Structures are given as structure tokens and as C-alpha cells.
Coordinates of all heavy atoms in Angstrom, one line a residue:
M1 N 57.3 75.7 93.8 CA 58.1 76.9 93.8 C 57.3 78.0 94.4 O 56.1 78.2 94.0 CB 58.7 77.2 92.4 CG 59.5 78.5 92.4 SD 60.6 78.3 91.0 CE 61.6 79.7 91.2
T2 N 57.8 78.8 95.3 CA 57.1 79.9 95.9 C 57.3 81.2 95.1 O 58.3 81.4 94.5 CB 57.4 80.1 97.3 OG1 58.0 81.4 97.5 CG2 58.3 79.1 97.9
D3 N 56.3 82.0 95.1 CA 56.3 83.3 94.5 C 56.6 84.4 95.5 O 56.0 85.5 95.5 CB 55.0 83.6 93.7 CG 54.9 82.8 92.5 OD1 55.9 82.3 92.0 OD2 53.8 82.6 92.0
K4 N 57.5 84.2 96.4 CA 57.8 85.1 97.5 C 58.3 86.4 96.9 O 59.2 86.4 96.0 CB 58.8 84.5 98.5 CG 59.3 85.4 99.5 CD 58.3 85.7 100.6 CE 58.9 86.5 101.7 NZ 58.0 87.2 102.5
T5 N 57.8 87.5 97.3 CA 58.3 88.8 96.9 C 58.5 89.7 98.2 O 58.0 89.4 99.2 CB 57.4 89.5 96.0 OG1 56.1 89.7 96.6 CG2 57.2 88.8 94.6
Y6 N 59.3 90.7 98.0 CA 59.6 91.6 99.1 C 59.3 93.1 98.6 O 59.6 93.4 97.5 CB 61.1 91.5 99.5 CG 61.5 90.1 99.8 CD1 62.0 89.3 98.8 CD2 61.5 89.7 101.1 CE1 62.4 88.0 99.1 CE2 61.9 88.4 101.4 CZ 62.4 87.5 100.4 OH 62.8 86.3 100.7
T7 N 58.8 93.9 99.5 CA 58.6 95.3 99.2 C 59.9 96.0 99.5 O 60.8 95.5 100.2 CB 57.5 95.9 100.1 OG1 57.9 95.9 101.4 CG2 56.2 95.1 99.9
I8 N 60.0 97.2 99.0 CA 61.2 98.0 99.2 C 61.4 98.3 100.7 O 62.5 98.3 101.2 CB 61.2 99.3 98.3 CG1 62.5 100.0 98.3 CG2 60.1 100.3 98.8 CD1 62.6 101.1 97.3
S9 N 60.2 98.5 101.4 CA 60.3 98.8 102.8 C 60.8 97.6 103.6 O 61.6 97.8 104.6 CB 58.9 99.2 103.4 OG 58.5 100.4 102.7
Q10 N 60.4 96.4 103.2 CA 60.9 95.2 103.9 C 62.4 95.1 103.7 O 63.1 94.8 104.7 CB 60.2 94.0 103.4 CG 58.7 93.9 103.8 CD 58.0 92.7 103.0 OE1 58.2 92.5 101.8 NE2 57.2 92.0 103.8
L11 N 62.8 95.3 102.5 CA 64.3 95.1 102.3 C 65.1 96.2 103.0 O 66.2 95.9 103.5 CB 64.5 95.1 100.8 CG 64.0 93.9 100.0 CD1 64.3 94.0 98.5 CD2 64.6 92.6 100.5
A12 N 64.6 97.4 103.0 CA 65.3 98.5 103.6 C 65.5 98.2 105.1 O 66.5 98.4 105.7 CB 64.6 99.8 103.4
K13 N 64.4 97.8 105.7 CA 64.4 97.4 107.1 C 65.3 96.3 107.4 O 66.1 96.3 108.3 CB 63.0 97.1 107.6 CG 62.9 96.8 109.1 CD 61.5 96.6 109.5 CE 61.4 96.3 111.0 NZ 60.0 96.1 111.5
E14 N 65.2 95.2 106.6 CA 66.1 94.0 106.8 C 67.6 94.4 106.7 O 68.4 93.9 107.5 CB 65.8 93.0 105.7 CG 66.7 91.7 105.8 CD 66.4 90.7 104.8 OE1 65.3 90.8 104.1 OE2 67.1 89.7 104.7
F15 N 67.9 95.2 105.8 CA 69.4 95.5 105.5 C 69.8 96.8 106.2 O 71.0 97.1 106.2 CB 69.7 95.6 104.0 CG 69.5 94.3 103.4 CD1 68.6 94.2 102.3 CD2 70.1 93.1 103.8 CE1 68.4 93.0 101.6 CE2 69.9 91.9 103.1 CZ 69.0 91.8 102.1
G16 N 68.9 97.5 106.9 CA 69.3 98.7 107.6 C 69.8 99.8 106.7 O 70.7 100.5 107.0
V17 N 69.1 99.9 105.6 CA 69.4 101.0 104.6 C 68.1 101.8 104.4 O 67.0 101.4 104.7 CB 70.0 100.5 103.3 CG1 71.4 99.8 103.5 CG2 69.1 99.6 102.6
T18 N 68.2 102.9 103.7 CA 67.0 103.7 103.3 C 66.4 103.1 102.1 O 67.1 102.5 101.3 CB 67.4 105.2 103.1 OG1 68.3 105.3 102.0 CG2 68.0 105.8 104.4
T19 N 65.1 103.4 101.9 CA 64.5 103.0 100.6 C 65.2 103.8 99.5 O 65.2 103.2 98.4 CB 63.0 103.3 100.7 OG1 62.8 104.7 100.9 CG2 62.3 102.5 101.7
R20 N 65.7 104.9 99.7 CA 66.4 105.7 98.7 C 67.6 104.9 98.1 O 67.9 104.9 96.9 CB 66.8 107.1 99.2 CG 67.4 107.9 98.1 CD 67.7 109.3 98.6 NE 68.4 110.0 97.6 CZ 68.7 111.2 97.6 NH1 68.4 112.0 98.6 NH2 69.4 111.8 96.6
T21 N 68.3 104.2 99.0 CA 69.4 103.4 98.6 C 69.0 102.4 97.6 O 69.6 102.2 96.6 CB 70.1 102.8 99.9 OG1 70.6 103.8 100.7 CG2 71.3 101.9 99.4
I22 N 67.9 101.7 98.0 CA 67.4 100.6 97.1 C 66.9 101.2 95.8 O 67.2 100.6 94.7 CB 66.4 99.8 97.8 CG1 67.1 99.1 99.0 CG2 65.8 98.7 96.9 CD1 66.1 98.3 99.9
R23 N 66.3 102.3 95.8 CA 65.8 103.0 94.6 C 67.0 103.4 93.7 O 67.0 103.3 92.5 CB 64.9 104.2 94.9 CG 63.5 103.8 95.3 CD 62.6 105.0 95.3 NE 63.1 106.1 96.1 CZ 62.8 106.3 97.4 NH1 62.1 105.4 98.1 NH2 63.3 107.4 98.1
F24 N 68.1 103.8 94.3 CA 69.3 104.2 93.6 C 69.8 102.9 92.9 O 70.2 103.0 91.7 CB 70.4 104.7 94.6 CG 71.7 104.9 94.0 CD1 72.0 106.1 93.2 CD2 72.8 104.0 94.1 CE1 73.2 106.3 92.6 CE2 74.0 104.2 93.6 CZ 74.2 105.4 92.8
Y25 N 69.9 101.8 93.5 CA 70.3 100.6 92.9 C 69.4 100.2 91.7 O 69.9 99.7 90.7 CB 70.4 99.4 93.8 CG 71.4 99.5 94.9 CD1 71.3 98.9 96.2 CD2 72.5 100.3 94.8 CE1 72.2 99.1 97.2 CE2 73.5 100.5 95.8 CZ 73.3 99.8 96.9 OH 74.3 100.0 97.9
E26 N 68.1 100.5 91.9 CA 67.2 100.2 90.8 C 67.4 101.2 89.6 O 67.5 100.8 88.4 CB 65.7 100.4 91.3 CG 64.7 100.2 90.2 CD 63.3 100.5 90.6 OE1 63.1 100.9 91.8 OE2 62.4 100.3 89.8
E27 N 67.7 102.5 89.9 CA 68.0 103.5 88.9 C 69.2 103.1 88.1 O 69.3 103.3 86.9 CB 68.1 104.9 89.5 CG 66.9 105.5 90.0 CD 67.1 106.7 90.8 OE1 68.3 107.3 90.8 OE2 66.2 107.1 91.5
K28 N 70.2 102.5 88.8 CA 71.4 102.1 88.1 C 71.3 100.8 87.3 O 72.2 100.3 86.7 CB 72.6 101.9 89.1 CG 72.9 103.2 89.8 CD 73.6 104.1 88.8 CE 74.1 105.4 89.4 NZ 74.7 106.3 88.4
G29 N 70.1 100.1 87.4 CA 69.9 98.9 86.7 C 70.4 97.7 87.4 O 70.6 96.6 86.8
L30 N 70.7 97.8 88.7 CA 71.3 96.7 89.5 C 70.3 95.7 89.9 O 70.6 94.5 90.1 CB 72.2 97.2 90.6 CG 73.2 98.2 90.3 CD1 73.9 98.7 91.5 CD2 74.2 97.7 89.2
V31 N 69.1 96.1 90.1 CA 67.9 95.3 90.5 C 66.8 95.8 89.6 O 66.7 96.9 89.3 CB 67.6 95.3 92.0 CG1 68.6 94.6 92.8 CG2 67.3 96.7 92.5
T32 N 65.9 94.8 89.3 CA 64.8 95.2 88.5 C 63.5 94.6 89.1 O 63.0 93.6 88.7 CB 64.9 94.7 87.0 OG1 65.3 93.3 87.1 CG2 66.0 95.4 86.3
P33 N 62.9 95.3 90.0 CA 61.7 94.9 90.7 C 60.5 94.9 89.7 O 60.5 95.7 88.8 CB 61.5 95.8 91.8 CG 62.2 97.1 91.4 CD 63.4 96.6 90.6
R34 N 59.6 94.0 90.0 CA 58.3 94.0 89.2 C 57.5 95.1 89.8 O 57.6 95.5 91.0 CB 57.7 92.6 89.4 CG 56.6 92.3 88.5 CD 56.1 90.9 88.6 NE 55.2 90.8 89.8 CZ 55.4 89.9 90.8 NH1 56.4 89.1 90.8 NH2 54.6 89.9 91.8
R35 N 56.6 95.7 89.1 CA 55.7 96.7 89.6 C 54.3 96.2 89.7 O 53.8 95.5 88.8 CB 55.7 97.9 88.6 CG 57.0 98.7 88.5 CD 57.3 99.4 89.8 NE 58.5 100.2 89.7 CZ 58.5 101.4 90.1 NH1 57.5 102.0 90.5 NH2 59.7 102.1 89.9
D36 N 53.6 96.6 90.8 CA 52.2 96.4 91.0 C 51.6 97.7 91.3 O 51.6 98.1 92.5 CB 52.0 95.3 92.1 CG 50.5 95.0 92.3 OD1 49.7 95.4 91.5 OD2 50.2 94.4 93.4
G37 N 51.2 98.5 90.3 CA 50.8 99.9 90.5 C 52.1 100.7 90.9 O 53.1 100.6 90.2
Q38 N 52.0 101.3 92.0 CA 53.2 102.1 92.5 C 54.2 101.2 93.3 O 55.3 101.7 93.6 CB 52.8 103.3 93.3 CG 52.1 104.3 92.5 CD 53.0 105.1 91.6 OE1 54.2 104.9 91.6 NE2 52.5 106.0 90.8
K39 N 53.7 100.0 93.7 CA 54.5 99.2 94.6 C 55.6 98.4 93.8 O 55.3 97.9 92.7 CB 53.5 98.2 95.3 CG 54.2 97.4 96.3 CD 53.2 96.3 96.8 CE 52.6 96.7 98.1 NZ 51.8 95.6 98.7
R40 N 56.8 98.4 94.3 CA 57.9 97.6 93.8 C 57.9 96.3 94.5 O 57.8 96.2 95.7 CB 59.2 98.3 94.1 CG 59.4 99.6 93.3 CD 60.7 100.3 93.9 NE 61.1 101.4 93.1 CZ 60.6 102.6 93.3 NH1 59.7 102.9 94.2 NH2 61.1 103.6 92.6
L41 N 58.0 95.2 93.7 CA 58.0 93.8 94.2 C 59.3 93.2 93.8 O 59.6 93.0 92.7 CB 56.8 93.0 93.8 CG 55.5 93.5 94.2 CD1 54.4 92.7 93.5 CD2 55.3 93.6 95.7
F42 N 60.2 93.0 94.8 CA 61.5 92.4 94.6 C 61.5 90.9 94.8 O 60.8 90.4 95.7 CB 62.5 93.0 95.6 CG 62.7 94.5 95.4 CD1 61.9 95.4 95.9 CD2 63.8 94.9 94.6 CE1 62.1 96.8 95.7 CE2 64.0 96.2 94.4 CZ 63.2 97.2 95.0
T43 N 62.2 90.2 93.9 CA 62.3 88.7 94.0 C 63.4 88.3 95.0 O 64.2 89.1 95.4 CB 62.6 88.1 92.6 OG1 64.0 88.6 92.3 CG2 61.6 88.6 91.5
P44 N 63.4 87.0 95.3 CA 64.5 86.6 96.2 C 65.8 86.8 95.5 O 66.8 87.1 96.2 CB 64.2 85.1 96.3 CG 62.7 85.0 96.2 CD 62.3 86.0 95.2
A45 N 65.9 86.7 94.2 CA 67.2 87.0 93.5 C 67.6 88.5 93.7 O 68.8 88.8 93.9 CB 67.1 86.6 92.0
D46 N 66.6 89.4 93.6 CA 66.9 90.8 93.8 C 67.4 91.0 95.3 O 68.4 91.7 95.5 CB 65.7 91.7 93.7 CG 65.2 91.8 92.2 OD1 66.0 91.8 91.3 OD2 64.0 91.9 92.0
R47 N 66.8 90.3 96.2 CA 67.2 90.4 97.6 C 68.6 90.0 97.8 O 69.4 90.6 98.5 CB 66.2 89.5 98.5 CG 66.5 89.6 99.9 CD 65.6 88.7 100.7 NE 66.1 88.5 102.0 CZ 67.0 87.6 102.4 NH1 67.5 86.8 101.4 NH2 67.5 87.4 103.6
V48 N 69.0 88.8 97.2 CA 70.4 88.4 97.3 C 71.3 89.3 96.7 O 72.4 89.6 97.2 CB 70.5 86.9 96.7 CG1 71.9 86.5 96.6 CG2 69.7 85.9 97.5
R49 N 71.0 89.9 95.6 CA 71.8 90.8 94.9 C 72.1 92.1 95.7 O 73.2 92.5 95.8 CB 71.2 91.2 93.5 CG 72.1 91.9 92.6 CD 71.5 91.9 91.2 NE 72.3 92.6 90.3 CZ 73.3 92.2 89.6 NH1 73.7 90.9 89.7 NH2 74.0 92.9 88.8
I50 N 71.0 92.6 96.3 CA 71.2 93.7 97.2 C 72.1 93.4 98.4 O 73.0 94.1 98.8 CB 69.8 94.3 97.7 CG1 69.0 94.9 96.5 CG2 70.0 95.3 98.8 CD1 67.6 95.1 96.8
K51 N 71.8 92.2 99.0 CA 72.6 91.7 100.1 C 74.1 91.7 99.7 O 75.0 92.1 100.5 CB 72.1 90.4 100.5 CG 72.8 89.8 101.8 CD 72.1 88.5 102.1 CE 72.7 87.9 103.4 NZ 72.0 86.7 103.8
L52 N 74.4 91.1 98.6 CA 75.8 91.0 98.1 C 76.5 92.4 97.9 O 77.6 92.6 98.2 CB 75.9 90.1 96.9 CG 75.6 88.6 97.2 CD1 75.6 87.9 95.9 CD2 76.6 88.0 98.1
I53 N 75.7 93.3 97.3 CA 76.2 94.6 97.0 C 76.5 95.3 98.3 O 77.6 95.9 98.5 CB 75.2 95.5 96.2 CG1 75.0 95.0 94.8 CG2 75.5 97.0 96.3 CD1 73.9 95.5 94.0
L54 N 75.7 95.2 99.3 CA 75.9 95.8 100.6 C 77.1 95.2 101.3 O 77.9 95.9 102.0 CB 74.6 95.8 101.5 CG 73.5 96.6 100.9 CD1 72.2 96.4 101.7 CD2 73.8 98.1 101.0
R55 N 77.2 93.9 101.2 CA 78.4 93.3 101.8 C 79.7 93.8 101.2 O 80.7 94.1 101.9 CB 78.4 91.8 101.6 CG 77.6 91.1 102.6 CD 77.7 89.6 102.5 NE 76.9 88.9 103.4 CZ 76.6 87.6 103.4 NH1 77.1 86.9 102.4 NH2 75.8 87.1 104.2
G56 N 79.7 93.9 99.9 CA 80.9 94.4 99.1 C 81.2 95.8 99.6 O 82.4 96.1 99.8
K57 N 80.2 96.6 99.6 CA 80.4 98.0 100.0 C 81.0 98.1 101.4 O 81.8 98.9 101.7 CB 79.1 98.8 99.9 CG 78.5 98.9 98.6 CD 79.2 99.9 97.7 CE 78.9 101.3 98.3 NZ 79.8 102.3 97.7
R58 N 80.5 97.2 102.3 CA 80.9 97.2 103.7 C 82.4 96.9 103.8 O 83.1 97.4 104.7 CB 80.1 96.2 104.5 CG 80.0 96.5 106.0 CD 78.9 95.7 106.7 NE 77.6 95.9 106.2 CZ 76.7 95.0 105.8 NH1 77.1 93.7 105.8 NH2 75.5 95.3 105.4
I59 N 82.9 96.1 102.9 CA 84.4 95.7 103.0 C 85.2 96.6 102.1 O 86.4 96.4 101.9 CB 84.6 94.2 102.6 CG1 84.2 93.9 101.2 CG2 83.9 93.3 103.6 CD1 84.7 92.6 100.7
G60 N 84.6 97.7 101.6 CA 85.4 98.7 100.9 C 85.4 98.6 99.4 O 86.2 99.4 98.8
M61 N 84.6 97.8 98.8 CA 84.6 97.7 97.4 C 83.7 98.9 96.8 O 82.8 99.3 97.5 CB 83.9 96.4 96.9 CG 84.8 95.1 97.3 SD 83.9 93.6 97.0 CE 84.0 93.5 95.2
T62 N 84.1 99.3 95.6 CA 83.2 100.3 95.0 C 82.0 99.6 94.5 O 81.9 98.4 94.3 CB 83.9 100.9 93.8 OG1 84.1 99.9 92.7 CG2 85.3 101.6 94.2
L63 N 81.0 100.4 94.1 CA 79.7 99.8 93.6 C 80.0 99.0 92.3 O 79.5 97.9 92.1 CB 78.7 100.9 93.4 CG 77.3 100.4 92.9 CD1 76.7 99.5 93.9 CD2 76.4 101.6 92.7
R64 N 80.8 99.6 91.5 CA 81.2 98.9 90.2 C 81.9 97.6 90.4 O 81.6 96.6 89.8 CB 82.1 99.9 89.4 CG 82.5 99.3 88.0 CD 81.4 99.5 87.0 NE 80.8 98.2 86.8 CZ 79.5 98.0 86.4 NH1 78.7 99.0 86.2 NH2 79.0 96.8 86.2
E65 N 82.8 97.6 91.4 CA 83.5 96.3 91.7 C 82.5 95.3 92.3 O 82.6 94.1 91.9 CB 84.6 96.6 92.8 CG 85.8 97.3 92.3 CD 86.7 97.8 93.4 OE1 86.3 98.0 94.5 OE2 87.9 98.0 93.1
C66 N 81.6 95.7 93.1 CA 80.6 94.8 93.6 C 79.8 94.2 92.5 O 79.6 92.9 92.4 CB 79.6 95.5 94.6 SG 80.3 96.1 96.1
V67 N 79.3 95.0 91.6 CA 78.5 94.5 90.5 C 79.3 93.6 89.6 O 78.8 92.6 89.1 CB 77.9 95.7 89.7 CG1 77.2 95.3 88.4 CG2 76.9 96.5 90.6
D68 N 80.5 94.0 89.2 CA 81.4 93.1 88.4 C 81.6 91.8 89.0 O 81.5 90.7 88.3 CB 82.7 93.8 88.1 CG 82.6 95.0 87.2 OD1 81.6 95.2 86.5 OD2 83.6 95.8 87.1
F69 N 81.8 91.8 90.3 CA 82.0 90.5 91.0 C 80.8 89.6 91.0 O 80.8 88.5 90.7 CB 82.5 90.8 92.5 CG 82.9 89.6 93.2 CD1 84.1 89.0 93.0 CD2 82.1 89.0 94.2 CE1 84.5 87.9 93.7 CE2 82.5 87.9 94.9 CZ 83.7 87.3 94.7
I70 N 79.6 90.3 91.3 CA 78.3 89.5 91.3 C 78.0 89.0 89.9 O 77.6 87.9 89.8 CB 77.2 90.4 91.9 CG1 77.5 90.8 93.3 CG2 75.9 89.8 91.7 CD1 76.6 91.9 93.9
D71 N 78.2 89.8 88.9 CA 77.9 89.4 87.6 C 78.7 88.2 87.1 O 78.3 87.5 86.2 CB 78.1 90.6 86.6 CG 76.9 91.6 86.7 OD1 75.9 91.3 87.3 OD2 77.1 92.7 86.2
M72 N 79.9 88.0 87.6 CA 80.7 86.9 87.3 C 80.0 85.6 87.6 O 80.2 84.6 87.0 CB 82.1 86.9 88.0 CG 83.0 87.9 87.5 SD 84.7 87.8 88.1 CE 84.6 87.5 89.8
Y73 N 79.2 85.6 88.6 CA 78.5 84.4 89.1 C 77.0 84.3 88.6 O 76.4 83.3 88.8 CB 78.5 84.3 90.6 CG 79.9 84.1 91.1 CD1 80.7 85.2 91.5 CD2 80.5 82.8 91.1 CE1 82.0 85.0 91.9 CE2 81.8 82.6 91.5 CZ 82.5 83.7 91.9 OH 83.8 83.5 92.3
D74 N 76.5 85.3 87.9 CA 75.2 85.3 87.4 C 75.0 84.4 86.2 O 75.9 84.3 85.4 CB 74.6 86.7 87.1 CG 74.0 87.3 88.4 OD1 73.8 86.6 89.4 OD2 73.7 88.5 88.3

């Protein structure tokens, strides 16, 4: 099993959002990155969760609807 992690900058670039967007999701408790000093390290599960939230938002779902939908499968 690999210990692949992603930085907030990598995820922001990959998904075309700002780092502030990802920090907002963290503040809301939607993702829980590990910390290495000041650096946030996101797991592949965090990455998928962000991806699904952004997809839901893109099709018009509210943030709450996205999270409820994702949580049904967690």
C-alpha cells in the first residue's frame, strides 16, 4: 500500500480551485488533512472527497447536499 499524499497546492491546481476553497472545506470538517508542521497533507480519500464535492457543486447541488450524498457511501 502506498502512502501517497497531496499538498493543498497540488489539489488546488488539479481541480482548478483556490487553496482558500480547500481550506474552507477543511474548516467545515469535510476533509481532514494530516499536518506536517504548517503543511497540510491530504490522503487519496481526501482527494476523492474534494473531487466529488466539486462535481456536485458543478451540477448545482448545495454543499450540504453534496456532503449528504457522499456520506451515504462512506
Side-chain angles (χ1 to χ4, degrees):
M1 180 154 187
T2 113
D3 288 338
K4 174 73 173 154
T5 59
Y6 305 89
T7 66
I8 194 168
S9 297
Q10 288 172 318
L11 293 177
K13 184 176 179 182
E14 177 180 352
F15 295 124
V17 298
T18 63
T19 55
R20 183 176 175 171
T21 298
I22 297 174
R23 284 193 305 271
F24 174 78
Y25 295 154
E26 180 185 2
E27 288 169 16
K28 294 292 183 184
L30 307 178
V31 291
T32 52
R34 195 173 80 233
R35 294 292 186 129
D36 182 12
Q38 291 287 358
K39 187 188 261 187
R40 292 169 171 87
L41 298 175
F42 293 85
T43 65
D46 290 326
R47 182 183 164 276
V48 168
R49 193 166 177 87
I50 292 168
K51 183 177 185 177
L52 292 173
I53 289 168
L54 293 172
R55 276 190 186 164
K57 297 283 291 164
R58 208 169 295 126
I59 62 169
M61 295 172 74
T62 66
L63 185 57
R64 182 79 255 153
E65 289 170 333
C66 294
V67 171
D68 289 345
F69 188 76
I70 294 166
D71 286 345
M72 286 190 319
Y73 293 96
D74 274 351

